Amino acid sequence: MRAIWKGAVSFGLVNVPVRLFSATENHDVQFRQVHEKDGGRIKYQRVCSIDGEEVPYSDIAKGYEAADGQMVVLTDEDLKSLPTRSTKEISIEKFVPSEQIDPLLFDKSYYLEPDKTGLKPYVLLRDALEKADRMALVTVSVRTRMTLAVLRVRDGVIVLQTLLWADEVRAPEFESLSEETHATAKELAMASSLVDSLSGDYEPEEFEDDYAEAVTQLVATKIEGGELTETPEAKGEETEVVDLLAALQRSVDKAKAAKTGGSPGDSGSSDEGSAKKTAAKPAAKKATTKTAAKKTAAKTTAKKSTTKKAATKKAS
């Protein structure tokens, strides 16, 4: 088992260093919600009821709904101002008779294990509780909120059982039981006889969770019969490597776009345009050379023509 809390039991002037362990575990059959067609798991998204957008955990706050339906949003700063006890101490308030604690008040159960240095005071507290036949009423803060609890002994180990607050237990208000109705003497005698015939000791091993066993057997039968649904890989799921490469590619595109003044998506077209411009420069240069040559040839021809005309005039 793994300790979920470390602290000390304050017993008068004596502190007993202890570790807290969960005393129970849930063995209920766990089902997953799946798509009946292909066996794909059902996923839930955190969607805002107002704008319909998915909300990341970083934007989720705690809200308290008032009686009129108005929502009061509480920030981390608001919650820090609330009275909390984060001390690592189980403080014994008083020792009360065991029969005064209604089992209906019991909530969660934990085992207390002593540290090596606190073994002797732990044993002292344990033996004192057993001899007095009382429970130690304590206050403890396992996480953030202070709660009531009791210390009692089970199989030589001190058990801490948290208690519900008094206002968390409902009153049984049933109209059908409000009338004064009692069994007759004959009926009570027959019921007492039935109780005597069924009397016995509680042996936990006598009872089993037949539902869990039936589900396990049903699943095993389906597996042996080949009734399995091959679930394809969910869409949109990428490995960390792929995500890393994609992030690097986007970074490269963004850097190129920053140099050229375009957008990250235009990096490819920008490169292509640059290649076209580079190829166009020699062609333009050749065209310019040809044009200059034509102009030079035209000037030479014009000059020769002018000379011929002048010679003709002199001859006449």
Side-chain angles (χ1 to χ4, degrees), residues 16 21 23 51 79 126 191 218 242 297 312:
V16 186
F21 297 85
D51 57 20
L79 297 176
R126 181 196 64 187
L218 175 62
V242 175
T312 304

Side-chain angles (χ1 to χ4, degrees), residues 177-182:
L177 296 178
S178 61
E179 300 177 0
E180 289 292 334
T181 304
H182 297 282

Side-chain angles (χ1 to χ4, degrees), residues 8-18 89-95 118-130 132 135-138 151 158:
V9 179
S10 178
F11 181 34
L13 298 177
V14 178
N15 280 344
V16 186
V18 293
E89 182 183 40
I90 301 174
S91 178
I92 297 179
E93 304 295 332
K94 61 177 69 175
F95 294 92
L119 179 59
K120 190 170 183 178
Y122 179 94
V123 172
L124 174 62
L125 176 60
R126 181 196 64 187
D127 294 347
L129 286 172
E130 285 186 318
M135 294 184 181
L137 186 65
V138 303
L151 299 181
I158 297 177

Side-chain angles (χ1 to χ4, degrees), residues 263-311:
S263 61
D266 296 336
S267 60
S269 59
S270 177
D271 293 343
E272 185 179 352
S274 299
K276 288 182 178 180
K277 288 181 181 179
T278 304
K281 285 182 180 178
K285 188 174 181 181
K286 289 181 180 180
T288 303
T289 305
K290 289 182 179 180
T291 303
K294 287 181 179 180
K295 288 183 178 179
T296 304
K299 288 181 179 180
T300 304
T301 304
K303 187 175 181 182
K304 288 181 179 180
S305 177
T306 304
T307 305
K308 287 182 179 179
K309 288 182 179 180

Side-chain angles (χ1 to χ4, degrees), residues 11-299:
F11 181 34
L13 298 177
V14 178
N15 280 344
V16 186
V18 293
R19 291 187 295 270
L20 200 69
F21 297 85
S22 292
T24 61
E25 57 186 4
N26 190 353
H27 287 170
D28 286 347
V29 178
Q30 300 294 327
F31 293 107
R32 298 185 183 275
Q33 289 186 330
V34 297
H35 189 192
E36 185 178 5
K37 179 181 179 181
D38 53 20
R41 296 183 182 181
I42 303 300
K43 293 184 177 180
Y44 294 92
Q45 295 179 329
R46 301 172 298 277
V47 179
C48 177
S49 61
I50 296 178
D51 57 20
E53 296 183 358
E54 186 176 359
V55 182
Y57 275 116
S58 58
D59 293 342
I60 295 179
K62 289 181 172 62
Y64 182 88
E65 187 173 0
D68 58 357
Q70 296 293 322
M71 189 65 66
V72 180
V73 178
L74 301 175
T75 64
D76 292 340
E77 294 298 325
D78 295 330
L79 297 176
K80 286 181 181 179
S81 65
L82 298 177
T84 58
R85 295 187 182 181
S86 58
T87 58
K88 298 291 186 178
E89 182 183 40
I90 301 174
S91 178
I92 297 179
E93 304 295 332
K94 61 177 69 175
F95 294 92
V96 299
S98 301
E99 62 271 11
Q100 288 186 1
I101 305 296
D102 190 336
L104 193 63
L105 293 172
F106 290 144
D107 190 13
K108 297 180 180 179
S109 302
Y110 303 92
Y111 290 129
L112 295 184
E113 180 194 28
D115 282 346
K116 293 181 179 179
T117 57
L119 179 59
K120 190 170 183 178
Y122 179 94
V123 172
L124 174 62
L125 176 60
R126 181 196 64 187
D127 294 347
L129 286 172
E130 285 186 318
K131 183 178 180 180
D133 191 23
R134 287 175 176 259
M135 294 184 181
L137 186 65
V138 303
T139 54
V140 60
S141 178
V142 177
R143 292 180 175 86
T144 56
R145 291 184 57 186
M146 187 271 292
T147 185
L148 282 175
V150 294
L151 299 181
R152 64 184 185 88
V153 180
R154 181 180 185 274
D155 296 335
V157 177
I158 297 177
V159 176
L160 181 145
Q161 287 191 275
T162 58
L163 300 178
L164 300 173
W165 297 103
D167 60 358
E168 292 179 313
V169 178
R170 295 177 175 178
E173 299 176 352
F174 303 122
E175 294 183 0
S176 59
L177 296 178
S178 61
E179 300 177 0
E180 289 292 334
T181 304
H182 297 282
T184 63
K186 185 176 181 180
E187 292 171 339
L188 186 57
M190 291 294 295
S192 299
S193 176
L194 180 59
V195 170
D196 292 338
S197 63
L198 294 177
S199 296
D201 295 326
Y202 172 58
E203 299 293 340
E205 295 77 12
E206 294 181 1
F207 304 92
E208 296 179 352
D209 186 358
D210 55 353
Y211 178 78
E213 291 185 359
V215 171
T216 303
Q217 184 60 40
L218 175 62
V219 172
T221 302
K222 284 183 170 291
I223 293 176
E224 292 176 358
E227 298 183 43
L228 297 174
T229 301
E230 294 293 336
T231 305
E233 185 177 353
K235 296 181 180 179
E237 294 183 358
E238 298 180 352
T239 62
E240 184 179 355
V241 177
V242 175
D243 290 340
L244 178 60
L245 292 177
L248 289 174
Q249 184 60 51
R250 287 194 296 269
S251 300
V252 172
D253 293 343
K254 187 175 181 180
K256 287 183 178 179
K259 288 183 179 180
T260 60
S263 61
D266 296 336
S267 60
S269 59
S270 177
D271 293 343
E272 185 179 352
S274 299
K276 288 182 178 180
K277 288 181 181 179
T278 304
K281 285 182 180 178
K285 188 174 181 181
K286 289 181 180 180
T288 303
T289 305
K290 289 182 179 180
T291 303
K294 287 181 179 180
K295 288 183 178 179
T296 304
K299 288 181 179 180

